[in-house]
Amino acid sequence: MKGFGFTRKKFLTLTDKGRHKHLIDWLSGIYQTLAAGRTGTGAFLDFAREYKTICIWMGLAAAEAPVESGVPHRLAYVSDAVHRHRTLLGLAPRDYDLLDRVVTGDREQPLMQRPAMDYQVALDGLRSLFNVGSIYRTCEAAGVDHIILGNCLGKESPQVRKTAMGAQDNITEEHTKDLAGCLETKKARGYHIIAVETISGSSACHDYPWPEKAVIVMGNEEYGISPHVLAAADHAVHIPMFGKKNSLNVANALAAVLYQAVFTRMG
């Protein structure tokens, strides 16, 4: 196992923030070594004693090393230590900081042929840019390459790009401050306007005869689809709920509805 690499004198010259950051980096490396199964009991106990000494340097109490043998107990010990130092730095604990990011290449060619459908997605005043980014990713995965943004930001936002994880590059955007008017224009071009909303007369998404050409409209996370935008819809669909809550996160809801449409069109 990799030693800490600092003498007490050198370590204590660092700022408090610097000490925690170096500890997090060191502990994360220890975690990866453990996860790879490259550490015996003796080496782990040597590490635990070294870590306890460093905590004493900082005036911190260190948790005792697990008496149980086995990688899971040791991983939990190191993970708890990393989360502790992140918390002391004022950072939220995140499990994925412990392992190297797994990068997989995008497919050059889709493995499945797209169903016969021409779909777009319209967003009515969404507030969470992370939801918007997730919607970009879902649309790209489902073969939808056009999103209409009604009074909400798109891929110009760093938060959207972060959650979309590159999917935004395969999506065209249409910004509008008059979503209802935009939908009327789409309707004149042969698109069915389908609102995802729990209103009287809406159809369960799995019972709806999804057409070949449509715009699926998603509303604000708290208030739903605006009344004037809803008035432009040809029909409304909803996701059946079997629990006590009557709604899903907007990005999750779109995923359920959009893939229902895709599978229906696939026959």
Side-chain angles (χ1 to χ4, degrees), residues 83-156:
H83 292 339
R84 178 193 189 189
H85 292 289
R86 284 190 59 84
T87 301
L88 289 171
L89 266 178
L91 301 174
R94 303 184 304 182
D95 285 339
Y96 53 80
D97 284 320
L98 296 172
L99 297 174
D100 292 332
R101 181 183 174 200
V102 177
V103 179
T104 56
D106 293 335
R107 297 182 310 209
E108 294 184 3
Q109 297 292 332
L111 296 181
M112 297 182 65
Q113 183 176 356
R114 293 187 181 188
M117 58 191 294
D118 177 4
Y119 273 49
Q120 299 180 6
V121 168
L123 307 180
D124 181 21
L126 266 64
R127 297 175 304 176
S128 168
L129 298 178
F130 294 111
N131 277 339
V132 175
S134 181
I135 285 171
Y136 272 73
R137 195 170 180 190
T138 295
C139 285
E140 200 276 340
V144 172
D145 57 13
H146 189 85
I147 291 179
I148 306 163
L149 299 161
N151 296 306
C152 63
L153 295 177
K155 54 188 172 184
E156 71 275 17

Side-chain angles (χ1 to χ4, degrees), residues 8-204:
R8 180 179 183 275
K9 182 177 179 180
K10 183 178 178 181
F11 183 63
L12 294 181
T13 63
L14 301 175
T15 64
D16 191 55
K17 181 178 180 180
R19 295 170 193 170
H20 287 298
K21 288 183 68 174
H22 277 286
L23 269 171
I24 290 168
D25 290 342
W26 178 57
L27 290 166
S28 297
I30 298 295
Y31 187 97
Q32 292 178 42
T33 302
L34 283 169
R38 301 195 297 265
T39 302
T41 300
F44 175 76
L45 292 177
D46 287 343
F47 146 74
R49 282 191 289 269
E50 187 174 14
Y51 174 59
K52 185 175 183 178
T53 298
I54 295 164
C55 287
I56 292 172
W57 293 350
M58 299 177 70
L60 300 173
E64 293 297 328
V67 294
E68 301 90 345
S69 61
V71 171
H73 297 290
R74 295 168 185 172
L75 286 174
Y77 175 80
V78 179
S79 174
D80 288 345
V82 170
H83 292 339
R84 178 193 189 189
H85 292 289
R86 284 190 59 84
T87 301
L88 289 171
L89 266 178
L91 301 174
R94 303 184 304 182
D95 285 339
Y96 53 80
D97 284 320
L98 296 172
L99 297 174
D100 292 332
R101 181 183 174 200
V102 177
V103 179
T104 56
D106 293 335
R107 297 182 310 209
E108 294 184 3
Q109 297 292 332
L111 296 181
M112 297 182 65
Q113 183 176 356
R114 293 187 181 188
M117 58 191 294
D118 177 4
Y119 273 49
Q120 299 180 6
V121 168
L123 307 180
D124 181 21
L126 266 64
R127 297 175 304 176
S128 168
L129 298 178
F130 294 111
N131 277 339
V132 175
S134 181
I135 285 171
Y136 272 73
R137 195 170 180 190
T138 295
C139 285
E140 200 276 340
V144 172
D145 57 13
H146 189 85
I147 291 179
I148 306 163
L149 299 161
N151 296 306
C152 63
L153 295 177
K155 54 188 172 184
E156 71 275 17
S157 162
Q159 292 98 318
V160 171
R161 294 195 299 272
K162 180 177 181 179
T163 314
M165 298 183 68
Q168 74 278 2
D169 295 335
N170 300 323
I171 302 288
T172 58
E173 292 180 333
E174 183 175 351
H175 287 266
T176 180
K177 293 184 178 179
D178 179 14
L179 183 55
C182 178
L183 294 176
E184 292 292 349
T185 301
K186 299 287 182 182
K187 193 183 301 188
R189 295 175 182 171
Y191 286 91
H192 292 261
I193 310 302
I194 304 167
V196 179
E197 193 65 275
T198 53
I199 59 173
S200 176
S202 68
S203 301

